């Protein structure tokens, strides 16, 4: 079995196990058997770290159901290969060459050496950030809900924030905490660092360590680091300005808040589409322009190697650099004085075309199954599912069963990746030695 098929089937297996567990009577708050569609949708949304839900997790599921959701989110955020490899390391087994190749491809690493150490580092980084988030959220939840419930709320929301899932145990998500600097800061930092990628965090740590130890050798940042950091900062700044300017006159989102809270909400609304799914305002009451900006940010998503979805920041930068090169009449695509290989350009184009095709196809299908819904609501829901975001205008629980199944498939495609899924279906690509004659074609 090919590596791509192993990863795709692995995610399906985890989703199936999660569905069975969430169907059990002890997973629901009323102690009855769960609806299979609700269980399947919730399990897929958790494993794909999306956060879309057709029910209110805080009241619909029991503690055990919420615990299963949390575990599924953790497995989905780490990725199938990382999770299974960590389990192999725990029981003391060594993995063979096939597993090393799978880890290399799953983590997009240049080589196979040191795979075990990388997995341990990823797990350690995850635990450090999640535990830090728990301790920061405890003061916000325990005074109001007590130690037992408050601690569980802190654990649940910290894990969901780091893994960019977006499930919340509050009926209004985080709208009740839109003025809480502690909650907004903690959740947003977990979202950003969880989505920016392990390699970027490692380079940041090494740079800080060298600065503290005052080493003379300067840390040389990789191209991945430069692109991920710069693109993330640019998108966050654009999002803050755009949401503040557009929604400030909307009395149902920003208009009724004071200036401090407007800035706080604009910041969080810029962070959460990348790709977390938490919200501190009612998404369904946003303006059409605000929804379109959110759709664009969701579609771009997080950075490679992180827990977020979307086409990724690196794909965006490669494509924009291609456009810049064409406008400047250059024959090479450059990023920070480095030439981008043609294979990466082709991969970026493939990711964009496959992603757009998936979104268009799913949107058309749901428009046919649920013709009474507004187009902007359907497009928003589809992009949120594909980019594994979890934001919704409020239609998730009211759409038809067929539409829910379409969203389930869309979430799965978005999590495993369009190219990986196509590789699993069609087989791994094989390079050819045949070269054909070149000919010009009118484009544009």
């Amino acid at each position: 079995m090919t590596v791509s098929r192993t990863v795709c089937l692995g995610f399906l297996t985890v989703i199936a196990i999660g569905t069975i567990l969430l169907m059990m009577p002890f997973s629901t708050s009323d102690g009855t058997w769960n609806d299979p569609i609700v269980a399947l949708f919730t399990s897929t949304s958790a494993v794909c770290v999306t956060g879309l839900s057709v029910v209110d997790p805080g009241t619909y599921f029991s503690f055990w159901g919420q615990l299963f959701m949390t575990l599924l989110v953790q497995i989905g955020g780490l990725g199938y290969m990382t999770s299974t490899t960590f389990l192999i390391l725990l029981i003391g087994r060594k993995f063979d060459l096939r597993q090393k190749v799978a880890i290399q491809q799953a983590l997009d690493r240049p080589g196979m050496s040191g795979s075990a150490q990388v997995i341990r580092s990823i797990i350690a980084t995850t635990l450090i950030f999640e535990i830090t988030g728990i301790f920061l959220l405890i003061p916000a939840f325990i005074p109001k809900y007590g130690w037992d419930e408050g601690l569980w709320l802190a654990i649940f929301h910290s894990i969901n924030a780091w893994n960019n899932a977006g499930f919340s145990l509050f009926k209004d998500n985080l709208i009740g905490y839109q003025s809480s600097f502690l909650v907004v800061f903690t959740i947003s930092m977990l979202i950003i660092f969880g989505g920016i990628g392990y390699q970027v965090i490692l380079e940041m740590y090494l740079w800080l360590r060298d600065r503290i130890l005052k080493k003379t050798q300067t840390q040389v940042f990789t191209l991945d680091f430069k692109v991920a950091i710069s693109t993330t900062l640019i998108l966050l700044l654009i999002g803050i300005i755009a949401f503040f300017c557009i929604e400030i006159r909307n009395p149902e989102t920003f208009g009724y808040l004071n200036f401090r809270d407007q800035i706080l909400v604009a910041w969080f609304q810029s962070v959460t589409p990348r790709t977390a799914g938490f919200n501190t305002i009612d998404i369904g009451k946003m303006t059409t322009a605000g929804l379109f900006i959110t759709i664009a940010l969701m579609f771009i998503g997080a950075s490679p190697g992180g827990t977020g979805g979307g086409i990724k920041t690196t794909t965006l930068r490669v494509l924009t650099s291609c456009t810049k090169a064409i406008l400047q009449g250059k024959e090479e695509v450059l990023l920070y004085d480095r030439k981008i290989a043609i294979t990466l350009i082709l991969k970026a184009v493939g990711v964009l075309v496959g992603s757009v095709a998936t979104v268009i196809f799913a949107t058309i299908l749901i428009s046919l199954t649920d013709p009474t819904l507004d187009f902007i609501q359907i497009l928003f829901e589809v992009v949120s599912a594909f980019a594994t975001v979890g934001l919704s205008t409020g239609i998730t629980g009211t759409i038809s069963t067929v539409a829910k199944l379409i969203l389930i498939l869309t979430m799965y495609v978005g999590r495993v990746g369009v190219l990986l899924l196509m590789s699993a279906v069609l087989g791994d690509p094989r390079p050819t030695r045949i070269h054909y004659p070149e000919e010009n074609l009118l484009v544009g």
Side-chain angles (χ1 to χ4, degrees), residues 211-257:
R211 297 279 290 186
I212 294 173
L213 297 178
K214 297 181 179 179
K215 289 189 176 182
T216 56
Q217 186 176 1
T218 306
Q219 170 75 19
V220 179
F221 293 115
T222 63
L223 186 60
D224 282 321
F225 180 92
K226 295 176 182 178
V227 170
I229 292 293
S230 61
T231 308
T232 297
L233 292 176
I234 291 171
L235 291 175
L236 287 175
L237 182 60
I238 292 175
I240 293 171
I241 296 173
F243 286 121
F244 184 83
C245 294
I246 291 174
E247 295 292 330
I248 193 170
R249 295 183 180 180
N250 187 345
E252 296 184 292
T253 55
F254 281 43
Y256 67 95
L257 301 172

Side-chain angles (χ1 to χ4, degrees), residues 93-137:
R93 286 181 53 191
K94 294 182 178 180
F95 39 91
D96 55 23
L97 180 61
R98 171 179 285 274
Q99 290 168 325
K100 290 182 178 180
V101 173
I103 296 169
Q104 177 199 2
Q105 293 191 11
L107 300 179
D108 199 16
R109 300 185 67 233
M112 291 182 289
S113 60
S115 297
Q117 184 60 39
V118 170
I119 297 297
R120 293 190 184 98
S121 300
I122 292 176
I123 299 296
T125 302
T126 298
L127 291 176
I128 289 172
F129 275 92
E130 289 179 349
I131 292 173
T132 302
I134 291 170
F135 279 107
L136 289 175
L137 290 174

Side-chain angles (χ1 to χ4, degrees), residues 141-212:
F141 296 146
I142 286 184
K144 183 177 181 179
Y145 297 98
W147 269 101
D148 291 342
E149 187 178 357
L151 179 60
W152 174 239
L153 287 171
I155 293 172
F156 186 91
H157 287 86
S158 179
I159 292 176
N160 273 270
W162 167 258
N163 291 288
N164 280 220
F167 284 111
S168 177
L169 298 181
F170 304 114
K171 285 187 176 182
D172 60 353
N173 207 281
L174 296 180
I175 295 178
Y177 291 91
Q178 62 182 192
S179 300
S180 173
F181 179 82
L182 177 62
V183 173
V184 169
F185 173 79
T186 303
I187 296 294
S188 59
M189 287 298 103
L190 287 171
I191 292 169
I192 292 172
F193 280 102
I196 208 167
Y198 161 77
Q199 183 63 35
V200 174
I201 295 175
L202 176 61
E203 289 191 49
M204 198 178 299
Y205 163 75
L206 294 175
W207 178 78
L208 288 173
R209 186 192 64 180
D210 292 344
R211 297 279 290 186
I212 294 173

